[in-house]
Amino acid sequence: MTSHQLWWLLGILLSVTLLYAPTVNYERVFDDHLQIEENLHIRSWAYIGRAFTDHVWSGQPGYALTNSYRPLYLVWMTANYALFGEDPRGWHTTSLLLYLAAIGGVWWAAGLLLGNGPGRVLATAIFALHPTHVESVAWIASFPDAMLVVFFTLALGLHLQATGWHSHHGFGRSEDQFLPATWRRGWHWGLTSGRNWLAAGALAAALLTKEFAVFWWPMVFLLYLTRRTGSWRMRFSAALHALWPQTFALAGYFLARRLALPGVFEGTPYLPWLTVALTAPLVLWTYVQLLVWPVGLRLEYELAYVTSPTDPLFWLPLAGLLGVGIGAAWALRRSPLALTLLVWIGLPLLPTLNLRHFRPQEFLHDRYLFLPTLGFALLLGWCLMVWLERLTSPKARALASLLPMSGVLIGYGWLTAQYVPHWQNDLVLYRRILHFHPDNVFALGNLSDALRARGRLDDGIACLERAYALAPHEGRLARALGNAYCQAGQFERAITTLEPWLKGDETTLDQSLACYDYGYALLATGRPREARPYLERAATLAPDDAQLWFILAEARRALRLCPEAAAAYAAARQLAPDRADIAQRQADLTQDCP
């Protein structure tokens, strides 16, 4: 690496640091509240074993099984909690450092694949400054994307070094005596190379960070098919022999995942497979657009399901994808490496097309482009190399190198600077969604939570009322609205909202907070006899909630059930021994129950 290139790398890292520096002072947003504030398993190293034997949401009581098996995600969360507690500044700092490390990994991989030229610099700049990465850097809980790329590129670089990869010759010609000996080894070399086993270890770490790492194996396998000489059979055999350690890593991962997640989670199991197939082109086309033209980025995109093949939202994106794919394949037909990088863009997007694994309207996110951006950046870096090779004048080559890199720094850098502030807190985040989709129920509900957390009850209730009017079939909105009414002291409205659900929906009846809110509202309106069974059910569902036991004691006291009230007060005191109000009410119980 020349000093000229080193200055470029330092300039890229400095630009990224300056762009994302404001995030250090940002608040927690979206799932950060669940993953940090309510995650019991990250508060002590005693739970670290469960990170490898359970799903990633297991630390939240009552959270449904998911398909996310990410042990190193929970290890990183536990380490951050041990260092910073719930202070978001430390978490944001480590997320930024992870992203800088990922950029370093891309720099290394780009140098191996493209050589130490301007193509390497351009590829790294595109990856580092791509605006779709804002979600993965500014939102704490999305740090696994950067961690994945750190291990992914480490595994890639170590494996390419172990094979003696050359940016111009690929894996080389086995009969050429002037090439490194690693290109002429027999089938067993993949098992005897220490560096190759280190690559397998890095791949294992990537797999334990995020599921998208499974595409490392087919992506590298494709490199062998396109960048090695000999017959197809020889290339296939060479790839299998070289990737033995990585195959073992994959097999071990799938076994551990199977043992930890015996079931299969589907967020929308009722979605017909035909609808999935008809909607997939629209989803993929949207991702291609965001990759090339990242404008209008936000947390939530309201894409509707496509249900008919005659719908323009099916055949227009399909025609666009076919046109882009065929055109790109034809233009790159004489460059196996470029074709490989093109496939690298699409492979990691395949899981996003199975819409049954996502909840409605939540199947498209910027962070799913994090790994595909690696292939996109490398492909554009390769294009710059080809362009420069056709220029003979040194001045023309210098100008041709400077223009695209300056354009990326200015264009992508400016867009990134615009999007970073949208993640400073929940209010800004959800208002941006509503700017594009004013009737987005998801954003209205979450904006209400953010407003109520800041004491703005009336504004929060207004958001929830609007959301509930748009989606009256959503029990979660009814439960949230009932809770908001209780917070505001509007108990009759809370009873009216919650009663139909608690008496006609098993899901709501299994929610401790809904039972508590309904019982508390009944008690507050002078109906302790009706309130008691709901408060007792809530205590059964959430036995560690001191406030719940306290209100249950108050209901029993109002009914003159003195022994039962004393037992509930005692339970509340045991859970919250420092609460003076509970102690005082318990002491006064003897006045009502001499």
Side-chain angles (χ1 to χ4, degrees):
M1 182 171 60
T2 65
S3 59
H4 179 72
Q5 284 195 330
L6 178 60
W7 281 111
W8 271 109
L9 175 60
L10 292 176
I12 292 170
L13 294 176
L14 178 61
S15 299
V16 169
T17 302
L18 292 175
L19 285 170
Y20 286 101
T23 65
V24 173
N25 293 313
Y26 285 1
E27 300 176 12
R28 289 183 292 272
V29 295
F30 192 31
D31 283 346
D32 290 343
H33 304 294
L34 288 173
Q35 287 286 22
I36 299 174
E37 298 169 19
E38 301 181 25
N39 194 339
L40 302 179
H41 290 174
I42 68 171
R43 300 180 183 180
S44 170
W45 288 105
Y47 293 105
I48 206 62
R50 294 196 59 174
F52 295 85
T53 60
D54 215 333
H55 64 96
V56 76
W57 289 94
S58 59
Q60 287 78 20
Y63 203 92
L65 176 70
T66 72
N67 280 333
S68 298
Y69 178 65
R70 303 172 183 177
L72 292 189
Y73 175 92
L74 294 175
V75 171
W76 181 267
M77 295 275 284
T78 304
N80 275 265
Y81 197 91
L83 291 171
F84 314 115
E86 294 184 7
D87 187 345
R89 291 172 296 181
W91 295 75
H92 280 299
T93 300
T94 55
S95 293
L96 177 54
L97 292 176
L98 263 182
Y99 187 51
L100 294 175
I103 294 170
V106 172
W107 173 267
W108 185 34
L112 290 169
L113 292 167
L114 304 178
N116 296 326
R120 177 193 204 180
V121 178
L122 180 63
T124 306
I126 290 173
F127 180 88
L129 299 171
H130 203 282
T132 59
H133 293 181
V134 171
E135 180 174 319
S136 299
V137 183
W139 172 27
I140 295 173
S142 196
F143 71 82
D145 295 316
M147 183 181 284
L148 166 66
V149 170
V150 170
F151 291 125
F152 193 97
T153 53
L154 179 61
L156 178 62
L158 288 171
H159 181 74
L160 293 180
Q161 285 187 336
T163 61
W165 168 277
H166 191 280
S167 58
H168 293 293
H169 304 295
F171 294 104
R173 303 172 182 271
S174 58
E175 68 275 9
D176 191 336
Q177 298 300 312
F178 294 100
L179 292 176
T182 52
W183 283 338
R184 302 192 299 274
R185 290 176 182 174
W187 65 270
H188 61 282
W189 85 265
L191 291 172
T192 58
S193 170
R195 193 181 294 268
N196 200 31
W197 279 102
L198 288 176
L203 175 59
L207 290 165
L208 296 177
T209 299
K210 198 166 184 179
E211 298 79 4
F212 286 84
V214 298
F215 291 102
W216 188 96
W217 201 98
M219 289 164 72
V220 175
F221 186 85
L222 186 60
L223 269 181
Y224 275 92
L225 296 184
T226 57
R227 294 288 286 163
R228 184 181 174 93
T229 57
S231 65
W232 285 105
R233 181 178 179 180
M234 291 175 58
R235 300 179 191 184
F236 191 90
S237 177
L240 291 180
H241 295 157
L243 294 173
W244 273 116
Q246 289 77 12
T247 304
F248 294 149
L250 271 177
Y253 165 75
F254 282 119
L255 176 61
R257 179 184 174 86
R258 176 63 180 173
L259 293 175
L261 308 179
V264 176
F265 168 80
E266 289 187 326
T268 316
Y270 54 81
L271 189 66
W273 285 109
L274 178 61
T275 300
V276 172
L278 293 175
T279 311
L282 175 62
V283 174
L284 191 56
W285 180 251
T286 305
Y287 277 126
V288 171
Q289 287 180 304
L290 293 176
L291 193 62
V292 177
W293 187 249
V295 175
L297 302 181
R298 50 196 181 274
L299 175 64
E300 183 87 358
Y301 298 87
E302 275 201 353
L303 289 188
Y305 293 123
V306 181
T307 57
S308 171
T310 61
D311 192 329
L313 290 177
F314 167 70
W315 56 265
L316 281 179
L318 182 61
L321 289 171
L322 290 175
V324 170
I326 294 173
W330 182 86
L332 304 174
R333 65 190 185 281
R334 296 180 180 177
S335 176
L337 178 60
L339 280 174
T340 302
L341 298 177
L342 181 65
V343 177
W344 280 18
I345 299 173
L347 270 179
L349 287 174
L350 292 179
T352 67
L353 303 183
N354 185 3
L355 307 185
R356 290 170 65 98
H357 286 304
F358 302 92
R359 293 180 176 87
Q361 296 184 347
E362 292 186 32
F363 49 80
L364 194 143
H365 292 287
D366 298 343
R367 61 185 180 274
Y368 298 149
L369 282 171
F370 202 89
L371 187 55
T373 307
L374 175 62
F376 177 71
L378 291 171
L379 180 59
L380 293 187
W382 175 89
C383 291
L384 176 62
M385 290 171 48
V386 173
W387 184 25
L388 294 179
E389 288 174 357
R390 297 181 179 180
L391 301 176
T392 56
S393 169
K395 291 185 178 180
R397 290 172 62 87
L399 184 62
S401 300
L402 185 61
L403 284 178
M405 284 186 280
S406 300
V408 168
L409 288 171
I410 295 173
Y412 276 180
W414 182 83
L415 285 172
T416 297
Q418 301 303 306
Y419 295 136
V420 166
H422 297 151
W423 289 84
Q424 59 187 289
N425 57 53
D426 283 326
L427 292 179
V428 178
L429 181 65
Y430 298 120
R431 280 172 174 162
R432 177 161 178 80
I433 299 175
L434 294 172
H435 171 76
F436 291 92
H437 313 292
D439 294 332
N440 187 286
V441 173
F442 164 83
L444 287 168
N446 284 281
L447 178 59
S448 171
D449 291 341
L451 290 168
R452 288 185 288 141
R454 287 164 170 77
R456 299 170 58 179
L457 284 178
D458 291 341
D459 293 336
I461 288 173
C463 285
L464 273 177
E465 288 176 337
R466 181 178 169 191
Y468 192 38
L470 292 167
H473 58 285
E474 290 280 357
R476 61 184 178 87
L477 292 175
R479 295 190 290 269
L481 186 55
N483 178 256
Y485 284 144
C486 284
Q487 284 183 305
Q490 301 177 24
F491 299 114
E492 291 292 352
R493 300 182 74 178
I495 293 170
T496 302
T497 302
L498 291 171
E499 188 170 34
W501 292 93
L502 281 164
K503 296 185 177 180
D505 179 64
E506 194 67 28
T507 301
T508 302
L509 199 57
D510 287 336
Q511 299 287 322
S512 62
L513 182 59
C515 292
Y516 168 78
D517 286 333
Y518 186 61
Y520 180 62
L522 289 171
L523 179 63
T525 54
R527 298 152 67 180
R529 191 172 304 279
E530 296 177 55
R532 179 190 167 197
Y534 290 99
L535 292 172
E536 289 178 341
R537 182 172 180 82
T540 302
L541 294 170
D544 297 329
D545 191 327
Q547 176 65 16
L548 199 154
W549 283 105
F550 177 51
I551 298 302
L552 174 58
E554 294 289 286
R556 288 173 173 175
R557 181 175 186 164
L559 294 171
R560 312 283 295 182
L561 301 173
C562 298
E564 292 89 340
Y569 279 127
R573 280 292 305 279
Q574 185 176 4
L575 292 168
D578 297 330
R579 281 189 54 175
D581 57 336
I582 298 178
Q584 183 62 46
R585 292 295 292 169
Q586 184 182 28
D588 293 342
L589 181 62
T590 55
Q591 298 178 5
D592 295 336
C593 300

